[in-house]
Amino acid sequence: MSAEATTPVIGEVPSFAVTLMVRRYNPEVDSEPKWQDYDLTMYGTDRVLDALHKIKWEVDGSLSFRRSCAHGVCGSDAMRINGRNRLACKTLIKDLDLSQPIYVEPIKGLEVEKDLIVDMNPFYQAYRDIKPFLIASDKPEKERIQSAADRERFDDTTKCILCAACTTSCPVFWTDGQYFGPAAIVNAHRFIFDSRDEAAEVRLDILNDKEGVWRCRTTFNCTEACPRGIQVTRAIAEVKQAVLRGRA
Amino acid sequence: MEIVIETPNSPRKRKGANWEKYGWMYMRISGAVLIVLIFGHLIVNLWDKGVGAIDFAFVAGKWTNPFWQVWDVLMLWLAMIHGTNGMRTITNDYAEKEWVRKTLNVSLWVVCAALIILGTLVATTFDPCIDPNAVNYLPTVCK
Amino acid sequence: MSTPKVHHHQYDVVIVGAGGAGMRAAIEAGPHAKTAVISKLFPTRSHTGAAQGGMAAALANVEEDNWEWHTFDTVKGGDYLVDQDAAEILAKESVEAVIDLENMGLPFNRTPDGKIDQRRFGGHTRDHGKAPVRRSCYAADRTGHMILQTLYQNCVKLGIEFYNEFYVLDLLMNTVDGVERPSAVVAYDLATGELHVFQGKSIVFATGGFGKIFKTTSNAHTLTGDGVGIIWRKGLPLEDMEFYQFHPTGLAGLGILLSEAARGEGGILRNASGERFMERYAPTIKDLAPRDMVARAMANEVREGRGAGPHKDYVLLDLTHLPPEVIDAKLPDITEFARTYLGVEPYTEPVPVFPTAHYAMGGIPTNVKAEVLRDNDTVVPGLYAAGECACVSVHGANRLGTNSLLDINVFGKRAGIFSVEYAKTADFVPVPEGAVDEVVALLTAVRNSKGTEKVAVLRKELQDTMDKNAQVYRTEESLDEALAKIVELRERYQHISIQDLGQRFNTDLLEAVELGFLLDLAEVLAYTAKERRESRGGHFREDYETRDDEKFMVHSMAYKTGDTIKLGWKPVTITNYPPMERKY
Amino acid sequence: MAKLPAGTLYRGKVGMWSWVLHRITGVAIFFFLLVHILDTSLVRVDPEAYNSVMATYKTVIIGFGELGLVAAILFHAFNGVRIILIDFWRKGFKYQNLMFWIVVAIAFILFAGFAPRHLMHVFSYNH
Ligand SMILES: Cc1cc2nc3c(=O)[nH]c(=O)nc-3n(C[C@H](O)[C@H](O)[C@H](O)COP(=O)(O)OP(=O)(O)OC[C@H]3O[C@@H](n4cnc5c(N)ncnc54)[C@H](O)[C@@H]3O)c2cc1C
Ligand code: HEM
Ligand code: SF4
Ligand code: F3S
Ligand code: FES
């Protein structure tokens, strides 16, 4: 194997100038949100999160946003980048159109608390409402037996990191915020189709609500926004079918 | 592990019985049937000679045939309910105040019912020879 | 700053930290005592979710295995600095810990007959080192994610009370019956800037690691060691702080972790010329040698000019011989990282990797009941610690992969059980006068400071010096350099200023506070590393290249006395395995 | 809820825009249907009145309106089929994007067939 030939060149990353337009809002002083532009020099491996850090650490410390893991596993930093929901830590700047400013604003449909931070509580509440935990009455001595195929059945929806990118990309959720939203349905799906769970009917009943699965208009924004690549719309469709059948 | 908690968190307040599932099914079933009905309707009415050919005589000619009567009444029902239910979805989305939503939805269904009744009556009680004096409007059957 | 609003709460059990350890404790405590969990992050954002590879347990689902072999591997992996009584508990209770999780709903990967599947992981062997064994229970390469989600789900089920985005900044102690006991913690509510005093009969610390003292790290931005720092500032000791694990396979230049599972599934490390260099360093188990050995081997390849890339500063993780289906099924997330962040296609190209700061073996000393120690053997009644912030010590000088997820479950559970047991009989310890004074003083000092130094600059300089001087290879000289730098930074820290003076979501303020903890812990680490004049496990001294059991078969115990560090030593508990040379 | 000015328009893809179109066309058809039932009802009242209303349908402006209506129905109908396939066909979600373009194509072809003929008719009575 010739390592040299196939080795990508890292370390010598090109730098480039970008302008970031950030939607700023501090209810303590501002009456309404405003756009603020920042000119930065960034590098090939930098992500939007790095740019935000650069602003926070070098230009304006009051810029507020959530973040933790910095590699797309904790779900803290969903935001709207150039009009689409993404994780800032998973969006490489070089992949964006650099001829124009990069627009960064909070996710939509949840109240803005400060800059890019929104009030996630309604989102978490919808999640808790679908009973996101295994309900099983048996008390096995060891592990419950589950075939690899049964395990595979709900694999996709176990990946969810509760980032809210999906729910806040959903045009139906934007309207009045009452819709359970794709993330809650994804997490219900994870249990409805788990062969070990006994409460599929309960969850199906919850989602057969006015604000449940039937509000989904299959706009696919959720699927396109999901940083974990979950087939959200498919999961919702499967839940709809299950509600129609009355069981998983 | 000895964790036993049966109803751990309070469920979201159910807002009474709901028909969303049936509404959803209805939209799809009626939609599928409407394709046939509406395109049939459009072809028959518009293709041959265009809107220009549509007049009292044309309609009267059609409705003397029970086949077209049933067709049009069915189309009327399916489309009105489909459309009204669709509009209801939309008002539910955008009308945030509960009373606005209620008012709009009630009005929608009232209008829907009124038009369905009107349309059904018109099509079923239709008399092609409504005005025997108006000779030039009359379809051939009346002559 | 005007005095902030202060809220008071009382709970039987107060748990600080909602990672794996904190929530596992909450699940035990919640049903039996009034429990609160306080976390600076929403629970599922905790860094346990980043863990990929798996959780060790001798289930013997796929091949012969037993807890005794597991104990041996843990002890040997930890270069004999492991307390063997604790390691026995870890290994024995591992089976139950995994079964607990499965019963709670964790979707483990399954064997063809529907049992929990297991795979190989570095340092885990059959029959005392004869050959690698399949011991790691896993859920694809997001085992930690599934553990964190499952634990949170069960907390929701139990209706556990969480205070999220609350930063605990102080632990209040008070003396009752001549014994100093924990009384409450003081937390800062990020959303409002208000303070909350949580009085608890027992208090559990589960605040995770502090990888952010290094530049290249697999740790989250929020892993700033606040909990360990608070304990330190209370004058309680920290154990084995010099032992910090560097994981061999971080994405080069970024530090993002590629799980050891990549090698468990057959990935191979190669140098610039394509040589499988681990054959030279660990002939028997090669790429699956313990992390410290692999990390050092990699650093050595680079130092001796066999590194790959334009600057010859990394080596390559080769997965190209694995069928893409295997990669997709077993390693989907980490191959995704390589694609996203380096633009490398692991099906066809080797991935550039280099060691990354990963795991703190040391931390708050506890006994096997998770009770915090105030010296070598006296417990602080009512104070508990579990998870990465604690040091039981089951990891000794070097943690084996998959043993940490096990640790947080076994000792998290124990912390829950014993803290409830204590709270059942204990009374509340009165909250001392001026409970929030220290926190107010700390915050006011930062807010009012009108210096010119910037938090981000100081933090970066700290991280740079730690990477340069206290990483895989250390010397007296390099550690002195690090210590001198820290003294300088500490002085400059007095002259920082922040820009955000508001109350809502003031992360500017908290980053400054966190830097304070980072400086403290970096100093303890460098200091203890300097004093341990031997090489053992994750601690490698170029000026003392061998293990010195004569002098250093002991845990270090560092105490803060005024502004200086006092060092003590604590004997290692040995039950069955006398120290031997560690060869693989 | 979201009392604040919304910022930029969300840049959804085909799925979102097809929904927007479906909604707009649905509303348009609905209102047309209301009028259409009322005017048709005139046949029960007075043939003359009916015919005079129908005459207005024959003006050029309304002629173009009808063109729009037919386009709306074509899109709404075929996109409706697409939605039904997404809901009930197991691979529907996978091909939703492709299906959208097929919908547009079919609608366009039928429209292209219909439009000239319709305009021909419309202009022929306006001589
Ligand atoms: C990338 C990566 C991969 C890993 N892979 C594996 C693996 O495959 N197998 C394995 O066994 N181990 C693995 N580990 C190690 C293991 O994941 C961690 O050691 C373990 O998850 C730590 O759990 P914890 O509960 O102690 O801390 P964490 O999960 O880090 O949780 C800490 C909690 O404390 C809270 N907290 C911190 N400070 C404060 C404060 N001041 N106030 C209030 N709350 C606070 C945080 O909000 C958080 O909730 C990995 C680690 C990393 C970084
Ligand atoms: C020609 C055949 C038709 C088909 C196949 C069809 C199909 C559909 C379907 C499947 C939906 C549901 C969309 C969803 O749930 O996301 C829908 C919605 C709707 N339809 Fe139709 N439809 C047809 C004709 C009509 C007619 C004639 C009207 C007007 C009277 C109409 C008005 C509406 C409205 C207003 C909506 C709601 C749109 C929304 O919620 O965004 N449709 N249609
Ligand atoms: S489904 Fe995807 S987008 Fe939605 S919350 Fe989960 S991870 Fe985020
Ligand atoms: S964006 Fe919304 S409409 Fe349905 S497909 Fe996704 S939930
Ligand atoms: S910071 Fe964790 S997902 Fe982006």
Side-chain angles (χ1 to χ4, degrees), chain B residues 25-74:
Chain B
M25 277 309 290
Y26 177 80
M27 291 308 271
R28 273 132 254 267
I29 295 167
S30 62
V33 179
L34 278 170
I35 292 205
V36 179
L37 296 179
I38 293 183
F39 285 115
H41 179 80
L42 287 177
I43 290 167
V44 170
N45 287 15
L46 294 182
W47 186 252
D48 193 26
K49 299 207 194 85
V51 213
I54 300 180
D55 57 11
F56 181 77
F58 175 85
V59 177
K62 250 180 109 184
W63 281 351
T64 46
N65 183 345
F67 175 79
W68 287 114
Q69 263 178 324
V70 172
W71 182 291
D72 283 3
V73 169
L74 191 61

Side-chain angles (χ1 to χ4, degrees), chain A residues 170-172 179 182 216-222 233 236:
Chain A
C170 175
V172 178
Y179 173 37
C216 167
R217 305 250 78 80
T218 52
T219 67
F220 284 88
N221 277 7
C222 51
T233 312
I236 297 173

Side-chain angles (χ1 to χ4, degrees), chain C residues 443-511:
Chain C
L443 296 175
T444 317
V446 175
R447 275 176 191 276
N448 292 352
S449 174
K450 292 281 170 286
T452 51
E453 297 286 357
K454 287 204 160 194
V455 170
V457 173
L458 300 191
R459 186 174 49 215
K460 181 163 186 316
E461 288 185 27
L462 172 70
Q463 293 169 340
D464 283 340
T465 193
M466 292 302 283
D467 264 25
K468 177 161 167 273
N469 296 314
Q471 223 219 19
V472 176
Y473 289 103
R474 301 163 170 178
T475 63
E476 185 105 13
E477 215 183 337
S478 74
L479 292 164
D480 272 332
E481 193 179 316
L483 283 167
K485 183 75 190 180
I486 294 167
V487 170
E488 174 208 315
L489 291 172
R490 195 184 283 294
E491 161 58 26
R492 286 164 62 192
Y493 182 65
Q494 304 305 312
H495 309 289
I496 54 168
S497 68
I498 59 167
Q499 282 160 293
D500 192 342
L501 300 176
Q503 299 296 331
R504 295 170 73 94
F505 291 94
N506 193 338
T507 47
D508 203 17
L509 173 69
L510 284 154
E511 282 192 27

